Amino acid sequence: MTDLALIIVSAVFVNNVIFSRFLGLCPYFGVSKKLDTAIGMSMAVIFVLTLAGTITYIIQTYLLVPLNIGYLQTIAFILIIASLVQFVEIVMKKVAPTLYRGLGIFLPLITTNCAILGISILSVQFKYDLIETIIFSFGSALGFGLALIIFSSVREALDTREIPKAFVGAPIAMIVAGILAMAFMGFSGMVK
Amino acid sequence: MFEIVIPGLILAGFALISASGLFVASKKFYVYEDPRIDEVEELLPGANCGGCGFAGCRAYAENAVNNKTVDPPCPVADAEAMQAVARLLDLEVEVKEKQVATLLCKGTHENSRSVMEYYGIDDCWAAMLVANSLKACAFSCLGLGSCVRACSFDAMLLKDGIVVIDEEKCTGCGMCLQACPKNLLFMRPVSGQVIVTCSNTDRGADARKACKIACIGCMKCEKSCHQNAIHVNDFLASIDYEKCTNCGDCVAACPTNAIEMRGQEVYVTA
Amino acid sequence: MLQLRTFKRGGIYPPHEKLSADAKIIFGEIPGNLLIPVNQHIGRPLKITVKKGDAVKRGDLLAESTGFISSNVHSPVDGKVLKIFRFPLLGGLIREVIQIQPTEPGKSFKEVLESDPYFDIDIGSLTPEAIRKRIEEAGIVGMGGAGFPTHVKLSPPPEKKIDALIINGAECEPYITADHRVMVERSSEIIKGIKILQRLFENVPVYIGIEENKPDALKILDELVSKDGDILIVPLKAKYPQGGEKQLIKAVLNREVPSKGLPMDVGVVVQNVATVLAVYDAFYYNRPLTERVVTVSGNVVNQPGNILLPVGTPVSYVVKKFEIDVQKVRLLIAGGPMMGRTSHSFESPVTKTTSALLFFDNRVFAERRENPCLRCGSCLRVCPMGLDVALYTQMIKADKIAPEAKDHIQDCIECGSCAFVCPADRRLVQWMRLGKTIIRREN
Amino acid sequence: MNVKEKLLKSFFVENPVTGLLLGLCPTLATTTSAENGLGMGLATTFVLVSSNVVISLLRNVIPNRVRIPSFIVVIATFVTIVDMGMQATLYDLHKTLGLFIPLIVVNCIILGRAEAFASKNNLWDSFLDGLFMGLGFTFSLFILGSVREILGTGNWLGMALVPGDWSTILVFVLAPGAFLSLGFILVGMNKIARVIEGGK
Amino acid sequence: MEANGVLIMDSSPLGRTGESTRKIMFTVCLTLVPALAVSVWMFGWDAVRVLVLTAVFTVGVEALIAKFSNTKIDYLDGSALLTGILLAMNVPSNAPWWMLLIGAVVAVVIGKQVFGGLGQNIFNPALVARVFLLISFPMQMTSWPLPGAFDGTTGATPLGILKTEGIGAIKTIGVGDLAMGHIGGSLGEISALALLIGSLYLFYKKYITWEIPVAFIGTVFVFTGAFYLINPAQYASPVFHIFTGGLFLGALYMATDMVTSPLSFKGKLLFGFGCGFFTALIRLFGSYPEGVSFAILFMNAFVPLLDRYFPDKKFGMVKNG
Amino acid sequence: MDKQESGIRIIGVLVLIAFFAAALLAYVNKITRDPIARNMKEETKRAVRIVLNTLGEIHYPDDPALKKLNDFEARYFPAVGKDSALVGYAIIVKAPNGFGGDFDLMVGIDSTGKVLDTYVLNHKETPGLGDNMKKEDFKKQFRNRTLENTKWMVKKDGGDIDALTAATITSRAFTSGVKRALLTFKALHKGKQK
């Protein structure tokens, strides 16, 4: 139990996907202009990443490893993730239209979110078992969501500040992310 | 050989499953979106200025494709681009002349004296809450630059208490028109060189008192015009650019220099 | 005396500076020239009923209302319409005015008033409809500052049950003493005016809210109503903006007018004492609202006082009457320093809503530049409406007003408490007003 | 537009990183030194060029509806080739770049160019496009890597630039420094881009 | 009738109180004097050197920016000075000049001016600089001259000792030492008592309110106390935690920084709670001995969210009326 | 555009692409498999050469042997010189309880039990503090020390080792790592002598 809690704390704070692992940065900077979108995106990522982490784990353990074709990992994972995302989109549209309006529009963005592929590959590298993989994927997604939501609220606030012209947009976003990363460094060493 | 074919078959199986699944799904749930929307959007300038009245270029493109129309034309795009859009949609497009924003006031500090010391916020709309005019003329440009800030093309700047417009940079998007609380800006075709630089509708004497170059409604210009292109209403002259031939007779006739002739060269005071 | 009541949230304690509190209301003369603004109220613009060269009598209609939320304007004097033109009013707006040349300039205005016939009417015989109609005809508007037509305020829709009538005698703005003097000098007339208003609502209790810093007014009115069971004097703490309608209701009845709501939503009608006096005049003297008491004060006025002026009197008349050194004046405020508007012309006329004319040199007004907001939160602490002024003004400045902030911005009562305490000298009220303009423009 | 102009443009104006903000993950993660940045950039360039070429060749064969899955498979193939190739030849570099080699697959630049350019243009143009885009990417990674390496360790491409006993600003080789330096580089690059565009 | 000059037109209200940005900033600087005096007493001229250098650097950097920027920057408004003093209180008294210069540049440029200057920044500039220095120069920033030892002996802060040596090593440090400043540490973190005395005036002037400091310190007390109760042999007492490190400096002067803290009552309480929680978390489990700076910096990022979701109740926000 | 495309063709193309892609990869894998495996081993072997640098030309096995002790285990490479005599060991141990957890340390020990050099294989210590243990200034104090002639503790704890400034915990871990290696050596050596 403690191990699982540590995995979560590690994934959310200590080794945050954004600030420590540098994964999923494109959507992080792309979808963080508005808080509402950021919340939607976070939810979508939490859902898809947990699902993708689980499925890729199963594929890896029961297909790629026994057949000794580990080198197909990248290509197989990305194929699975791409089709999974599209399936989820289609299914959600049909089964839960309300949910789709909230989250669905973010799903295409997730295909190219390298956090999904990255975390899937990492949980294989870390030799996690199934439960640990699920927790790790979920925690990483949670860390992504946390970082995204804080960041987007800060960026919304920046809209009303008098940022010097040269820094408006991406540069100031980078600097904010840098300062946030410094704050996140305070959590280092919390999980050994 | 075997170790090459087997992985191939496995991945092919993967692809088979996902492709057929997606194929079935996409058949069932396919939402048609006209690919021409993208193409139109690509032809547009992408300034997202909203000058056309739609929420950005994408919305304009959607409207253009769905309703098969380029009306209103994009105010920023040049004629060539609009023709390209029209060709794409198999439409005839009427080429309109470039429009530029024009300030109908020449109430510089020198011409219309300040009657107060304004301490409030540097914004025309905010100033209007404190005083309707900062100068002797009630119709004058406030000179606080709300239009300058509204311009996305860097085409305006403040000088001597009024705004001057760089007609080369002006795209005619019209955002500044809405930003002016005094409605002093209007669009004129770029070839129209004669401008009545005044908006004062007070009687002659009052207007004269307020500003050195005010239009006093004396009708001399109306009489001088051979094209019937200039008319005085409410003690203020205005020009019909459809008829005006830039002959300059009214400019010569005006006793207060309220009518201005702009040269062939673009008026840039930057 | 009763315990002092007040509103709880926010508020400030600016210096009272009631320099003219003991100065009796004086009467001037008919000035040589009157500029009567056509629109002196909030609501639909009026239609001018006279033209250049027309002769008018005192009380004649100059411009008539064009709808329900609209209010007539009458001539205060006999005279001739000289010109109708646009002119800067007190507060900087440039609007249409009717210039009247009085036939008897220099005649004492007290004489003019005394020549009005007195009607001893029987209040009991008046129907509510007749009362509302008379008030509408007389062109009475809220004289506390806003200028909202009084008959509209007195005509709540039937589903709004009115169970309290509050008379606003708080007069919380610094310097202004006009209402104070009216309460002291014309207390019995005010009570009679209240009786008329009481006829509109059945058995409604009346509360007269007066700030504690007017002990003489409290005493006089308390004595007058002591035999009346249904009129109650409520002494209030001297705190700004105690005279704000919503704050007054909160203080007197502890009811909170909902956001974007009106006093009638909590069953209350609020009237200013000066307005009540105008109602009295409208019935007992058949006078339309053509004159009002104005406080003349400020640090360049040697003898601050209160004067009854006909509507349309130019400020220059007051300057002469109070012997103000025009060379010293750098700031002319119509109304109090907290909510009043500046003016730039000494020829601008007094209107129905001008409660004070304050003259200052620039000593009290050292130049102040807007500094960046520090988010110190002072404005939030003092805002009687509990608004997040610092956040809203930042949004307004960036022209990015969050949807959830829009309602709150429109709730601002523009009392000025926030800007009064702002250490960065930000024009918070002007920003909020600009925000309202932007929101209105968007709709 | 001639080749030289296009090259210049892909370096400054349409640079995938500083102009379009694409491919940020490897940009920030692998630029702890100029050498790493260079390595990552070249690996990406290889994938970009190869996939552009192949997709351009296949552009008439691939049905529209499975366009993206097909592109991804093609790209993933080349990524895996790079992955294995680097492991076999440049083992140390591969170790530092680590996870980010397989992640080239989801680098938006590659899919973006495949979609926007290679699927519509002929082989030669696609090749050039991939090459220029890749070099632009490499260029910004190299700049960012250089800045971080110099400030953070006092070295550049393995050469010591400051005396050994000087303190260097360690934060630049750590995560926060990546964001901060890119923020300031963006400002600089945008200024240069404006000069180049204005010069025309 | 004409006045001497034209009249002034401005928006209401036309009066104001005597408060100004400068007054607030310089008052805050002045209230730091007791703490500064203690640090000078403890560290001697070195403390003065660090103080003066940092203040000169921050104001100087801001003045340079003011000179080359086309926006108006009042570099003498005291805000840069305050940032400088707070930064000086966060570094060891033997910090080399170049470190102070880097800190000043980071504080003014990255912490403040890239956001548009005074009042526009999201993060506390002094803390941005401190964390930047702490991460960049961990060696210089974690070995502190010992108070009263003018021979250059250095050592760790009590929290640092706790982290490396364990609970046994701090047994000898009494509460009185902690409160009075007889401990190793940065200029500002040594004397909790002096800081408290200085800040009393700020409370009186309402420049700071009680919510953040109380919630902050209270949370640290409760969390560290809980662990102390569970296992006193491994965790230090809450009293120790409260009087060590930059907790008082952070809670009274950094977290309450007007620009970077929430506006509403609930927001302030939550902000203080968050700061306290993360401080305790980092101190108890993290690898850095001190977590105050990180916690405040982290919570600064939450301020827009807190402002948005926990506003004060507005007048008239009632159901019926 | 391609509305006429049949489902079979769509799926078929994708399947074909996938097939060829995987086949290509399988082929590349076949070529690169061996070099990759060699590279992976090469890394540790290079470390061995570094820690046993002073011994001159040596030979050692490709894969390390495992030695289990009571409370930890170590892997080691026995090195033989030109004349096939055992000249020393490169011992890989886990240095326990560093700042960022355990880290892998390789210690070179000559046949007399003297420490030759140390090499940190992987670690998560704080940059700028703990990772200074890789620096020569710190490493040199361990050379020529033996299990017997040194108190294997940092000075703060009453030992002989100078701790890194502001990184006592790392130094402690490092020190006990080296001690573990020496204990391993002792155990190995004892076995040899018997």
Side-chain angles (χ1 to χ4, degrees), chain C residues 307-376:
Chain C
I307 183 169
L308 188 87
L309 291 174
V311 165
T313 310
V315 175
S316 55
Y317 170 82
V318 175
V319 169
K320 221 180 291 161
K321 180 91 185 164
F322 282 80
E323 291 163 352
I324 296 164
D325 183 357
V326 150
Q327 302 300 319
K328 281 189 190 160
V329 178
R330 290 282 284 127
L331 183 64
L332 162 59
I333 308 171
M338 297 301 295
M339 290 186 72
R341 303 282 161 86
T342 53
S343 303
H344 61 89
S345 169
F346 286 111
E347 295 309 320
S348 301
V350 166
T351 67
K352 292 175 185 175
T353 53
T354 310
S355 54
L357 290 170
L358 307 179
F359 300 84
F360 293 100
D361 60 12
N362 50 3
R363 250 185 307 138
V364 292
F365 199 73
E367 187 177 350
R368 36 181 200 159
R369 191 164 67 89
E370 250 196 343
N371 288 316
C373 170
L374 294 173
R375 286 170 52 94
C376 67

Side-chain angles (χ1 to χ4, degrees), chain D residues 21 39 64 80 89 133 146 165 180:
Chain D
L21 286 183
N64 208 28
T80 315
T89 51
M133 274 291 156
S146 303
D165 53 344
L180 292 177

